[in-house]
């Protein structure tokens, strides 16, 4: 499995790593892989399902960096209606005529995470929506699962054998629905997964899904801190070989050494529980968007026992323009100076080629001294 986090422009630094993983490394094997994404992560994972995915990832990076919006007179940010309209047009240009490639990929099973509003958040409204999100914030502070009274996780999954592919994670942690992903609902589901409240408009009444307002999947699952189901990986050799191979995938990364399966334990028949490989822009795996300020929810849990996170160091991030990852504050930082923002984001993505190069080098000569607990 490969998760892909919400996080807006932060995900740009993962472009070179995505191109290496899906263009070079994964094509060397043939096992099925579940791809789980929210917001920009859903856009990235859907792009991985396209033919000639390397070129598609390059286009995604270019289009995201060069996005620009018209500002109303005297305003510092565009209207949500304008951003939604422009973003929908860009998605149509990007995936137009190619949705079947995504849905019919022979190896990759795509799962797009969205957040569906309930009660006050059941439809977008200038008064009810802020009140609903206030309620979600307060209940989430008390208990994450209680936020399900306001928002539920809805996952749109690729077809498999005539039905939605099985979810690769348990759903006992949070209120969840699953919907079959199709050509009719692919565009609205993907746009909904990227629709940050108050920045974009909600997407209403997605075909094949329960009626209502759908927002960014990162609200419920910011970094996809999920209880991933074990995958049986059958190897032709003895369990010792499996341990060696899985150790090699535990790169300059972070995992829970307390889990036997994380170390690559295998059964007598050479079966091992597959790993969750997570290219991420930071080391912490935060459950929901409203948990960003709740530091006690940033810790690793047993749900991540089989997860390997590939993340840049703080020192590397400090070397980027403005000493940080690209993020949404850059839109107001640079205002109408789109060229300056494009220059800064382009410099960050160019620097991030180092991440892909170092992972490739690590795979050739593994060094477990750079693997750390989450």
């Amino acid at each position: 499995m490969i998760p892909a986090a919400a996080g807006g422009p932060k995900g740009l630094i993962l472009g070179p790593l995505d191109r290496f993983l899906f263009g070079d490394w994964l094509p060397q094997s043939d096992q099925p892989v579940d791809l789980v994404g929210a917001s920009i992560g859903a856009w990235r994972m859907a792009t991985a399902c396209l033919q000639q995915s390397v070129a598609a990832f390059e286009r995604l990076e270019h289009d995201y960096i060069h996005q620009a919006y018209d500002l109303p007179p005297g305003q510092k940010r565009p209207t949500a209606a304008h951003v939604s309209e422009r973003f929908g047009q860009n998605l149509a240009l990007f995936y137009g005529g190619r949705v079947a490639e995504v849905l019919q990929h022979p190896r990759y099973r795509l799962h797009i995470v969205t957040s569906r509003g309930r009660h006050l958040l059941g439809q977008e409204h200038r008064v009810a929506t802020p009140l609903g999100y206030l309620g979600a914030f307060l209940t989430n502070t008390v208990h994450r699962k209680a936020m399900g009274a306001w928002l539920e996780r809805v996952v749109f999954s690729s077809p498999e054998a005539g039905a939605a592919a099985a979810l690769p994670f348990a759903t006992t942690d949070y209120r969840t629905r699953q919907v079959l992903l199709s050509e009719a609902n692919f565009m609205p589901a993907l746009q909904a997964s990227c629709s940050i409240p108050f920045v974009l408009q909600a997407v209403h009444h997605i075909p094949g899904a329960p009626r209502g307002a759908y927002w960014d999947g990162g609200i419920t699952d910011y970094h996809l801190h999920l209880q991933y189901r074990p995958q049986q990986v059958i190897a032709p050799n003895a369990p010792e070989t499996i341990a060696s191979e899985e150790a090699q995938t535990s790169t300059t990364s972070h995992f829970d050494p307390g889990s036997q399966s994380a170390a690559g334990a295998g059964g007598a028949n050479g079966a091992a529980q597959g790993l969750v490989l997570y290219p991420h822009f930071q080391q912490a795996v935060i459950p929901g968007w409203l948990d960003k300020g709740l530091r006690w929810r940033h810790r690793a849990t047993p749900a991540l026992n089989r997860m390997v996170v590939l993340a840049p160091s703080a020192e590397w991030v400090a070397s980027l323009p403005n000493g940080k990852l690209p993020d949404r504050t850059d839109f107001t930082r640079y205002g109408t100076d789109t060229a300056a923002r494009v220059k800064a984001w382009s410099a960050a993505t160019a620097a991030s080629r180092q991440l892909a190069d170092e992972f490739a080098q690590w795979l050739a000569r593994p060094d477990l001294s750079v693997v750390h607990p989450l």
Side-chain angles (χ1 to χ4, degrees), residues 142-198:
V142 176
H143 197 287
R144 169 168 157 75
K145 199 168 185 177
M147 191 176 67
W150 301 93
L151 293 151
E152 63 182 1
R153 172 195 297 140
V154 179
V155 186
F156 293 80
S157 300
S158 295
E160 186 175 53
L167 289 177
F169 53 86
T171 57
T172 55
D173 64 322
Y174 193 80
R175 184 184 181 97
T176 304
R177 296 176 187 254
Q178 185 182 26
V179 175
L180 175 66
L181 189 62
S182 67
E183 294 216 27
N185 62 26
F186 173 81
M187 294 292 190
L190 185 55
Q191 176 154 350
S193 186
C194 299
S195 293
I196 305 167
F198 313 114

Side-chain angles (χ1 to χ4, degrees), residues 317-327 329-330 333-334 340-341 343-345 347-348:
V317 172
S319 71
L320 298 178
N322 303 311
K324 66 176 185 63
L325 299 173
D327 61 38
T329 65
D330 291 333
R333 174 194 294 266
Y334 293 103
R341 176 178 56 78
K343 181 180 179 180
W345 286 9

Side-chain angles (χ1 to χ4, degrees), residues 78-239:
T79 65
H82 174 60
V83 177
S84 290
E85 180 183 19
R86 184 71 58 84
F87 185 66
Q89 293 169 349
N90 290 339
L91 285 183
L93 290 172
F94 193 92
Y95 292 102
R98 306 187 68 184
V99 175
E101 294 177 30
V102 177
L103 301 179
Q104 298 171 13
H105 196 282
R107 290 182 60 196
Y108 301 151
R109 298 177 293 232
L110 177 64
H111 306 273
I112 296 175
V113 180
T114 68
S115 303
R116 175 178 176 264
R118 305 182 67 230
H119 306 306
L120 280 179
L121 294 177
Q123 60 181 352
E124 194 166 22
H125 187 274
R126 63 184 183 87
V127 175
T129 298
L131 289 175
Y133 275 106
L134 175 61
F137 173 80
L138 294 174
T139 52
N140 178 72
T141 302
V142 176
H143 197 287
R144 169 168 157 75
K145 199 168 185 177
M147 191 176 67
W150 301 93
L151 293 151
E152 63 182 1
R153 172 195 297 140
V154 179
V155 186
F156 293 80
S157 300
S158 295
E160 186 175 53
L167 289 177
F169 53 86
T171 57
T172 55
D173 64 322
Y174 193 80
R175 184 184 181 97
T176 304
R177 296 176 187 254
Q178 185 182 26
V179 175
L180 175 66
L181 189 62
S182 67
E183 294 216 27
N185 62 26
F186 173 81
M187 294 292 190
L190 185 55
Q191 176 154 350
S193 186
C194 299
S195 293
I196 305 167
F198 313 114
V199 177
L200 286 85
Q201 292 179 319
V203 177
H204 289 79
H205 313 322
I206 299 176
R211 292 177 63 81
Y214 289 76
W215 277 281
D216 197 301
I219 303 171
T220 57
D221 295 283
Y222 187 44
H223 292 167
L224 302 160
H225 192 130
L226 303 168
Q227 182 69 54
Y228 294 96
R229 301 184 188 277
Q231 298 282 316
Q232 290 300 313
V233 179
I234 306 300
N237 300 315

